[in-house]
């Protein structure tokens, strides 16, 4: 029998005030895989990440990490259950140093069975952060800030990493570096949801693809199958 998904959403609805944004979202992230969540600007990708992370005031449906239902948990408890968000825009403490940012992100008690990352391991993954360890986060380049945002998420010892547009605003060479990092994280056993507007980049990395439009899933499948029929995806993403 196949192992249960690392993360699953069934019938998830989410709202901002009276605005109904997500409609009956269902998706499954298999263990150790990368799922690309694609969609046009405003499709609801960030809302979906925030719903998983427990950051929306009003949502319904079931969200589970492995067998654990996290639907009713606080953001802190969802983090303890092994879900970490690398937010869009790489929010971090700009007036703290790189190393201080990593230190404050560390959690005392990792989820059961999870080995916490050490700062030394983060520096192994991102040697550039070690060179910049004493610099303020606000002084880093866009690519370095993205590495720090990922490093901060890893310090919480996640099983599931939610990456919300990690390549936004980065130069092509740095985008390729981020791609290599995401592959490394999968090789380290993490399961990843990669939110992207860059279709080719996401399809090159992902195992599974889900496309949403106006808060609804409009396409899903194995990345290998979708790569064979890019025109269909381009149409859904408004790329002509
Ligand atoms: N804080 C908010 N309050 C009200 N509406 C919002 C808020 N954030 C996003 N929205 C709306 O929700 C929809 C989905 O936005 P978002 O999830 O940010 O899309 P994406 O990440 O796919 O670009 C958009 O129509 C957007 O205008
Ligand atoms: Mg977004």
């Amino acid at each position: 029998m196949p192992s249960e998904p690392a993360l699953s959403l069934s019938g998830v609805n989410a709202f901002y005030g009276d605005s109904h944004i997500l409609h009956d979202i269902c998706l499954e992230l298999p263990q150790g895989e990368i799922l690309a969540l694609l969609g046009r600007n405003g499709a609801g990708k960030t809302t979906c990440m925030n719903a998983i992370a427990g950051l929306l005031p009003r949502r319904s449906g079931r969200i589970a990490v492995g067998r654990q239902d996290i639907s009713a948990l606080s953001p802190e408890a969802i983090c303890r259950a092994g879900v970490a968000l690398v937010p869009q825009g790489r929010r971090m403490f700009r007036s703290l140093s790189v190393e201080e940012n990593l230190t404050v992100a560390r959690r005392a008690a990792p989820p059961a069975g999870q080995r916490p990352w050490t700062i030394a391991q983060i520096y192994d993954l991102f040697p550039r952060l070690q060179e910049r360890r004493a610099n303020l986060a606000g002084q880093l380049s866009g690519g370095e800030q993205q590495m720090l945002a990922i490093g901060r998420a890893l310090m919480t010892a996640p099983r599931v990493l939610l990456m919300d547009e990690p390549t936004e605003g980065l130069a092509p060479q740095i985008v390729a570096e981020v791609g290599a990092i995401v592959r490394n994280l999968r090789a380290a056993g993490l399961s990843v949801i990669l939110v992207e507007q860059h279709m080719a980049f996401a399809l090159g990395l992902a195992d599974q693809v889900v496309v949403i439009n106006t808060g609804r899933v409009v396409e899903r499948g194995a990345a290998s199958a979708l790569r064979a029929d890019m025109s269909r995806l381009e149409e859904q993403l408004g790329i002509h």
Side-chain angles (χ1 to χ4, degrees):
M1 208 174 77
S3 64
E4 67 206 329
L7 178 76
S8 55
L9 277 66
S10 52
V12 170
N13 286 269
F15 304 79
Y16 289 114
D18 289 335
S19 304
H20 189 170
I21 307 290
L22 297 183
H23 301 262
D24 292 323
I25 300 286
C26 295
L27 61 83
E28 289 193 347
L29 169 64
Q31 300 276 358
E33 293 199 359
I34 298 170
L35 183 149
L37 181 65
L38 306 179
R40 299 177 197 204
N41 200 14
K45 304 179 299 295
T46 294
T47 304
C48 189
M49 294 305 98
N50 289 346
I52 297 168
L55 298 173
L56 288 185
R58 193 172 152 218
R59 58 171 156 71
S60 63
R62 184 171 191 275
I63 304 177
V65 176
R67 287 206 195 96
Q68 185 184 4
D69 187 337
I70 61 166
S71 311
L73 300 184
S74 68
E76 295 74 22
I78 290 169
C79 182
R80 276 198 298 279
V83 179
L85 173 65
V86 184
Q88 188 168 15
R90 313 153 194 153
R91 286 193 298 267
M92 57 190 62
F93 298 107
R94 297 176 64 83
S95 58
L96 294 186
S97 72
V98 165
E99 189 144 315
E100 286 164 344
N101 263 281
L102 292 172
T103 304
V104 298
R106 179 196 284 138
R107 210 183 29 239
Q114 278 301 94
R115 181 171 48 89
W117 286 67
T118 63
I119 289 183
Q121 286 172 313
I122 303 286
Y123 288 155
D124 281 346
L125 189 62
F126 303 113
R128 190 85 185 116
L129 289 185
Q130 183 157 27
E131 290 165 23
R132 304 282 257 150
R133 62 198 290 173
N135 284 95
L136 300 184
Q139 298 171 328
L140 301 179
S141 71
E144 290 165 348
Q145 286 189 5
Q146 188 59 49
M147 291 173 195
L148 180 56
I150 296 168
R152 282 178 50 85
L154 293 176
M155 291 301 286
T156 69
R159 279 185 256 263
V160 174
L161 198 59
L162 311 174
M163 306 180 84
D164 194 350
E165 299 213 26
T167 64
E168 193 178 26
L170 299 183
Q173 189 195 333
I174 312 294
V175 169
E177 271 180 45
V178 171
I181 290 161
V182 176
R183 279 203 188 88
N184 281 343
L185 295 173
R186 175 176 55 190
L190 280 163
S191 311
V192 179
I193 294 192
L194 176 66
V195 170
E196 267 300 332
Q197 291 218 32
H198 297 127
M199 185 183 72
F201 171 78
L203 279 183
L205 280 174
D207 303 293
Q208 307 287 331
V209 176
V210 170
V211 182
I212 59 173
N213 197 7
T214 58
R216 292 175 174 83
V217 174
V218 294
E219 182 74 59
R220 68 174 81 234
S224 53
L226 292 170
R227 276 194 290 266
D229 188 7
M230 300 269 273
S231 59
R232 189 182 156 82
L233 266 188
E234 284 172 356
E235 201 173 306
Q236 271 155 352
L237 295 170
I239 303 165
H240 299 292

